[in-house]
Amino acid sequence: MKRVTPISVVVIFFLLSVKLLFAEVKLPAILSSNMVLQRNATVTLWGWSDAREKITITASWLDKSVKIQEDSSGHWSTKVKTTNSKDAQTIEIKSYHSDFTLTNVLFGEVWLCSGQSNMQMPIIGFGDQPVYGSVNAIAKSGNPNLRLFTVGRVGTRSPIDDIEKFTAWEQSSPENVKDFSAIAYFFGKQLQEILNVPVGIIHSSWAGSSVEPWISKEVLSGYQEINIEKVNLQSANHVQTALFNAMINPLIPYTIRGVLWYQGESNRNQSEEYKKLFPAMVKDRRTRWGIGDFPFYYVQIAPYLYGGNDAFHEVSNSSFILEAQLQCLDLIPNSGMVVTMDIGDEYSIHPPKKKEVAERLLYNALNKTYGINAIDCLGPEYISHEVKEDGILLKFDNAENGLCAYDGVKGFEIAGEDKIFYPAEAHIKFRAEVVLVKSNKVSKPVAVRYAWRNYITGTLFDTSMLPASSFRTDDWDFATRAEK
C-alpha cells in the first residue's frame, strides 16, 4: 500500500481548503446590508461561487424561496420583485458552504450620480473652495431612510465584475455625509423628504475626468482609436474607457431609477465631439442596464473665467460646450438639463452653490419622473427670431407666465453681415413673451448672442426664476467682438 507522507496530508488539506474557499457564495460590493433596492420593480440579485453550486435565497417579502444553480462559469443571478413596503427587509442566502443574511434592506428610489469634480465635490468642499450651507447640512444629515454608497476612484484597462474600492451602503449621518458628494446628497435628502420613501444614492465620480473614460470600449471605438495597454492608470480619469470599466460596469445590473450627471469642463474645447460622445454614452448605459430609457438628468457646466473673456472661438470660449450640452437635449430621450448661468463663480471652477444645482435636478425628477406637473423645471429656451426694423425680436419656449429680469436684461450682443458683435440693449416686450435686442452700432442686424462668454452672470429668467441658457441665433464658424 502506498504510504501517505505528512507533506502529502498538508497538500491535500490545502487543496480542500482552497476548494471550500472558492465554493463560498460571494456577492458584489453593491449588494450588502443597508442597501436600497428600487421599489416596486424587478431587481437582479447576482454573485459568484463554485460552478454548479446550488443556492437558495429567502427574502422576507417573498412567499417562496428562490432556488438557483450557478452556471459553468461560477456566476449566478436571479430576478425578484420588490414592493412599496417601507419596512426593513432581510435576504438570506444559503448554499452547501455558505449561510449569511443581508439585513436592514429598504425599498425606495435609487439614483446613480456621476461625473467629474463638480459632482465629486463633497459637502465640506475642496480646500479653500466651500459649499454654501455645509455646516447646517451636515448637522441635519441624520436620516435612516437615506442611504449612501460611494464607488472608489479606480481605472482598469478592461471591464471588471466587481468594485475594487468602495464605501459600502451607509445610513446618512454627519460622520459619512461630510465627505459625500454635495449635489448627490442634497438631491437625495430632498427627494426622500418630498416623496416620504427611502432613497439610495450611488456616487461614482472622478475629478478632472473627460467623457471618454466613462464610455465603453465597444462604443468609443466607433469614434476613436483605443490603445491603452501601456497607459499609466494613476491618471485613469483621462484614460479611454478606464472609468467605465472599473466604476460603472461593476454596478450593472443593479436596478436604478435614473442617473444624474455633471461633467463637461474637461471636454470644453471639443464641443462637436462631445455632442456625439455624450449621447452615445447614455444610449450605451441604457442598453447595458436593460431597464428601458431611464431618466438621465445632467448639469450644463457653470460660467467660469477659464483663460479670459474676450475670445469668440471654440478653443477659448466655453459657450460652445454649453451649446452642445443644450443641443443634447434633443439627442437624448427622457433627459433634462439644469442651467447654471446665474450661479457660476468667476474665479472658481467649483461654484459653492451646490444645493441650488441639486434642487434644479430635483425639479426635473419630480416633474418628469414622478409626475408632479405643478413643479416647473424648465427655464426659457430660445426657439426663433425675427428681424424687426433696426432690432431683432427673440422668441422663447418654456416661459408660460412670461420672462423676467429682476435687474435688467444684460449680456446680449448683436451683429450685422460683417459678423462683428457689439454690446446691445435688450428689453422684455409684449406681455413679457419676447426680448427685443438692438444697438445703434448695427443698423441692419443679422444675429444675436446671449451670455456668449466664459464667465458672465445670467440675467434672463422665467417667473419661476429658472435661468435661460446662453445661446446664439447664428451658426458662424468665425466671428469677432467689436474692440472696446
Side-chain angles (χ1 to χ4, degrees), residues 107-322:
F107 300 149
E109 295 299 298
V110 181
W111 287 82
L112 170 60
C113 303
S114 189
Q116 58 180 111
S117 55
N118 270 305
M119 180 62 84
Q120 180 185 323
M121 190 176 189
I123 290 184
I124 59 171
F126 284 145
D128 61 347
Q129 300 173 82
V131 170
Y132 288 167
S134 61
V135 175
N136 188 57
I138 293 169
K140 296 180 177 180
S141 63
N143 187 345
N145 286 316
L146 176 60
R147 308 287 175 85
L148 313 173
F149 184 97
T150 300
V151 180
R153 294 185 289 280
V154 173
T156 55
R157 290 184 172 82
S158 57
I160 58 177
D161 293 331
D162 201 6
I163 302 165
E164 292 185 355
K165 292 175 59 178
F166 62 93
T167 301
W169 286 104
E170 298 176 305
Q171 295 182 174
S172 176
S173 70
E175 290 73 26
N176 56 52
V177 157
K178 64 183 180 66
D179 295 314
F180 195 74
S181 161
I183 287 176
Y185 169 75
F186 285 130
F187 174 88
K189 173 181 169 60
Q190 294 180 85
L191 184 68
Q192 193 283 314
E193 292 173 349
I194 292 170
L195 298 183
N196 192 27
V197 300
V199 169
I201 301 293
I202 304 167
H203 175 231
S204 181
S205 296
W206 193 326
S209 57
S210 52
V211 73
E212 291 87 347
W214 296 103
I215 304 176
S216 69
K217 180 178 180 180
E218 290 80 1
V219 170
L220 188 60
S221 60
Y223 300 91
Q224 301 174 3
E225 182 179 348
I226 300 175
N227 184 3
I228 62 173
E229 294 307 313
K230 297 181 180 180
V231 175
N232 184 351
L233 289 178
Q234 289 185 343
S235 301
N237 55 335
H238 296 295
V239 176
Q240 298 164 307
T241 78
L243 305 190
F244 167 82
N245 293 337
M247 298 176 66
I248 296 297
N249 190 68
L251 300 174
I252 305 170
Y254 195 87
T255 303
I256 58 176
R257 172 64 77 184
V259 171
L260 307 182
W261 175 257
Y262 193 164
Q263 188 277 332
E265 294 91 344
S266 291
N267 291 94
R268 73 180 185 90
N269 297 331
Q270 303 162 296
S271 62
E272 288 303 313
E273 293 86 347
Y274 196 82
K275 197 161 59 175
K276 299 173 184 176
L277 294 176
F278 179 37
M281 182 198 77
V282 176
K283 182 178 180 180
D284 183 48
R285 297 274 180 93
R286 289 169 168 171
T287 298
R288 290 174 183 274
W289 250 277
I291 53 176
D293 285 350
F294 50 73
F296 203 103
Y297 303 133
Y298 60 97
V299 182
Q300 190 183 51
I301 67 171
Y304 167 62
L305 195 57
Y306 291 105
N309 234 350
D310 294 329
F312 244 31
H313 50 80
E314 182 173 354
V315 294
S316 300
N317 191 335
S318 58
S319 299
F320 289 91
I321 190 68
L322 271 67

Side-chain angles (χ1 to χ4, degrees), residues 16-92:
L16 287 174
S17 298
V18 171
K19 175 72 173 177
L20 290 174
L21 177 64
F22 282 96
E24 292 180 356
V25 173
K26 180 189 175 187
L27 296 178
I30 192 68
L31 294 179
S32 70
S33 294
N34 301 314
M35 67 181 170
V36 178
L37 294 175
Q38 180 60 44
R39 62 178 177 148
N40 197 29
T42 298
V43 303
T44 302
L45 304 178
W46 77 99
W48 306 271
S49 186
D50 197 35
R52 304 301 180 187
E53 183 83 3
K54 293 181 179 180
I55 299 169
T56 300
I57 297 178
T58 304
S60 56
W61 70 94
L62 297 178
D63 294 332
K64 296 181 179 180
S65 297
V66 178
K67 298 182 183 298
I68 56 179
Q69 181 171 317
E70 289 200 303
D71 59 27
S72 58
S73 69
H75 177 272
W76 61 268
S77 68
T78 187
K79 294 183 182 296
V80 297
K81 290 186 176 181
T82 60
T83 71
N84 280 322
S85 173
K86 296 181 182 179
D87 296 333
Q89 309 292 336
T90 60
I91 303 173
E92 186 177 12

Side-chain angles (χ1 to χ4, degrees), residues 386-403:
E386 174 188 356
V387 176
K388 191 173 182 65
E389 298 177 358
D390 58 346
I392 292 182
L393 203 62
L394 303 170
K395 297 182 180 179
F396 295 83
D397 199 1
N398 307 326
E400 297 83 357
N401 294 320
L403 303 165

